[in-house]
Amino acid sequence: MIFNLGGKGGQDDGADAGSASGDLIKDIDTAQFEDDVLRASMDVPVIVDFWAPWCGPCKTLTPILEKAVTAARGAVRLVKINIDENQALAGQMGIQSIPTVAAFKGGRPVDGFMGALPESQIKAFIERLAGEIGPSPADMLMEEARAAFAAEDFATAAQTFAAVLQEEPGNPEALGELARCYLAVGDAERAGEMLALVPPEARDHPSVKGAQAELDLSAQAADSDEVQALRAKIAQAPSDKPARLELAAALAADGQREEAMDLLLALVEEDRAWNDEAARKQLLSLFEALGPTHDLTKQGRRRLSSILFS
């Protein structure tokens, strides 16, 4: 199934959508520093991101800064300065390590930090400069999309997650949840396409890992005859661990997650080390596919902890 993602400004699943930041975010050099930082900060606070192409933490920090500045909707501006190309300016500013971020207000530096900070601290940093910032358009769209998904209105959820991607291209939660929308209607191919768009540095995002785990489960789906054959095999040989593990995978892929979880927990309880802890690993994949807030995940984790620490 291919959702019609034309609503809410959707554009090809949001994959190629751009984000218009205008003059809020720009790359500058030494010659532009006086106009774009010192003079500009007389009107609105300007955040300066000193970075270099070889700096790993810079690649993590800069997108977070860009997202937070965009969400501030004009309350602050961001300029980015490559220190490799502007070494004299970096020396004048006393830059000793990167990433270094400096905030200018009224033509002078007023705040700053070194190193990559999490998104919550970046938002707090900006709010110290510009006052409290409410939810961004992307945040509000994300809430709408989550609600639609919870109500199993997958078409609306998909359109709205795509709209989030128009605001924030590459948003890992939106891509992961859009993949889940496709999985919910049985379109594993499109789900895989969405996950392929996730930036490498965001592969560990919970929504992405959950969607990938669900996609992996769907690839193990067996038809009803195979499931019945496995049940019959186990009925004749209840101690057949490989057959029970295979049945658990088939049931999980078929949406019978509770029975799959019961089978896996029983295998862990009988012999947690069997087959390189295959049952426990499959159980953890099931938890990821369900998501951390799902009731089955919470119940299953409690039961697994009880088994492992008994």
Side-chain angles (χ1 to χ4, degrees):
M1 176 179 182
I2 299 178
F3 295 117
N4 175 11
L5 300 180
K8 296 182 182 287
Q11 181 182 22
D12 295 334
D13 300 343
D16 299 318
S19 176
S21 58
D23 290 332
L24 290 180
I25 302 171
K26 60 169 64 175
D27 291 277
I28 71 167
D29 57 25
T30 302
Q32 298 165 295
F33 187 82
E34 183 173 352
D35 284 339
D36 286 325
V37 177
L38 300 182
R39 290 179 181 168
S41 71
M42 302 300 291
D43 299 320
V44 64
V46 177
I47 296 170
V48 184
D49 175 19
F50 293 95
W51 68 285
W54 45 264
C55 169
C58 297
K59 296 175 183 178
T60 300
L61 175 65
T62 299
I64 298 174
L65 280 170
E66 292 175 345
K67 177 183 175 182
V69 168
T70 300
R73 300 185 292 283
V76 294
R77 294 178 184 171
L78 172 67
V79 300
K80 298 177 286 183
I81 298 175
N82 181 342
I83 66 166
D84 283 354
E85 297 174 356
N86 299 275
Q87 295 182 16
L89 176 61
Q92 291 170 17
M93 293 294 299
I95 305 302
Q96 297 181 347
S97 66
I98 53 172
T100 289
V101 173
F104 286 75
K105 197 171 183 178
R108 61 188 183 86
V110 294
D111 202 351
F113 62 86
M114 291 187 293
L117 298 183
E119 187 171 344
S120 60
Q121 292 185 37
I122 297 296
K123 183 179 179 183
F125 173 74
I126 290 176
E127 288 184 336
R128 288 201 301 271
L129 296 169
E132 186 174 353
I133 299 167
S136 69
D139 291 335
M140 292 185 284
L141 285 168
M142 192 69 81
E143 286 301 313
E144 290 180 33
R146 292 188 192 110
F149 189 91
E152 299 187 358
D153 183 355
F154 301 120
T156 298
Q159 283 188 328
T160 314
F161 284 126
V164 172
L165 290 167
Q166 287 235 332
E167 296 286 336
E168 297 179 357
N171 181 301
E173 182 178 355
L175 285 168
E177 297 306 316
L178 186 51
R180 282 185 183 273
C181 290
Y182 281 110
L183 287 168
V185 297
D187 193 341
E189 182 178 356
R190 296 282 283 182
E193 290 172 2
M194 293 302 99
L195 292 174
L197 297 172
V198 176
E201 65 273 13
R203 292 286 176 187
D204 286 335
H205 189 283
S207 290
V208 174
K209 291 180 72 175
Q212 185 64 59
E214 192 168 350
L215 180 61
D216 293 342
L217 280 178
S218 72
Q220 302 174 38
D223 61 36
S224 58
D225 287 342
E226 289 177 280
V227 170
Q228 291 306 315
L230 285 168
R231 290 190 187 279
K233 186 177 182 180
I234 293 166
Q236 293 180 345
S239 61
D240 188 338
K241 291 185 179 71
R244 290 158 66 193
L245 186 69
E246 189 177 351
L247 177 59
L251 291 171
D254 192 44
Q256 300 179 61
R257 306 293 172 72
E258 187 169 7
E259 186 178 357
M261 188 175 73
D262 289 341
L263 279 168
L264 293 169
L265 285 165
L267 282 167
V268 173
E269 188 168 21
E270 286 177 25
D271 186 354
R272 67 187 67 176
W274 171 73
N275 195 19
D276 194 25
E277 298 189 272
R280 186 185 66 83
K281 291 175 181 176
Q282 189 166 306
L283 191 58
L284 295 180
S285 294
L286 178 56
F287 293 158
E288 281 192 345
L290 289 167
T293 62
H294 197 287
D295 286 344
L296 281 179
T297 300
K298 294 176 183 177
Q299 295 169 19
R301 287 195 181 280
R302 284 195 297 268
R303 291 170 61 187
L304 178 61
S305 295
S306 177
I307 291 168
L308 294 177
F309 297 106
S310 61

